[in-house]
Amino acid sequence: MSLSFLASHALQYTLGSPQTISFFSWSIVNFDTLVYDKTPGDYNTSTYIYTVPQTGVYNISVDLTTDFFDPSGLYLDINGNSVFLSTPSFPGYSSNSDSINGQTNLLLTAGDLVSTYIQTEIGSGDLLSGVYNARFSITSLF
């Protein structure tokens, strides 16, 4: 099967294995496993940072599922500046899995550095792995 993209830049990465998140922390999300990448090389699977290849408007989407804890916030880091994406619907400690997701359209400049962070205040646990549990997607719009 061949994928065809209208966007000039499109990628999606997931967690290859669960990532443990500590109590009261601010942690980069280790999206390390390729799902698709139209222009390979823009996302670094060692630093978990996307380098914007050309100036334009980008849609950025992040979906995470947690195991036994609720994150207090989901953020993008763009050149050292935090961009708030989301909080969970029902914050607080959970004895079950929970999900948190966010999406935004941003005007980004070539060379901008983008990464995803999760903040916790209550509990600790794992981010679940696999494309159905954890996704980081970026698509150029124009």
Side-chain angles (χ1 to χ4, degrees):
M1 177 173 88
S2 175
L3 294 175
S4 177
F5 296 98
L6 297 176
S8 58
H9 301 281
L11 63 84
Q12 185 176 84
Y13 282 80
T14 187
L15 293 173
S17 59
Q19 178 183 346
T20 300
I21 303 297
S22 302
F23 172 76
F24 205 73
S25 68
W26 176 264
S27 304
I28 193 167
V29 180
N30 301 340
F31 291 109
D32 60 356
T33 302
L34 172 71
V35 178
Y36 61 83
D37 193 341
K38 184 176 179 185
T39 54
D42 298 327
Y43 184 77
N44 185 319
T45 56
S46 297
T47 62
Y48 318 110
I49 295 174
Y50 175 72
T51 303
V52 176
Q54 74 183 59
T55 300
V57 175
Y58 290 78
N59 175 270
I60 303 172
S61 176
V62 181
D63 299 285
L64 295 170
T65 303
T66 66
D67 187 19
F68 299 108
F69 80 98
D70 285 327
S72 57
L74 180 63
Y75 298 83
L76 293 176
D77 180 285
I78 301 175
N79 300 325
N81 298 303
S82 296
V83 176
F84 173 76
L85 281 181
S86 181
T87 58
S89 301
F90 302 100
Y93 182 77
S94 173
S95 59
N96 299 303
S97 63
D98 197 4
S99 63
I100 186 168
N101 51 53
Q103 180 175 325
T104 188
N105 295 332
L106 294 172
L107 174 60
L108 298 173
T109 302
D112 282 351
L113 304 176
V114 180
S115 54
T116 303
Y117 281 82
I118 190 165
Q119 181 183 19
T120 60
E121 293 177 3
I122 300 172
S124 61
D126 290 334
L127 298 177
L128 300 181
S129 60
V131 72
Y132 299 109
N133 293 314
R135 290 178 298 282
F136 173 66
S137 305
I138 297 181
T139 305
S140 62
L141 301 177
F142 52 91

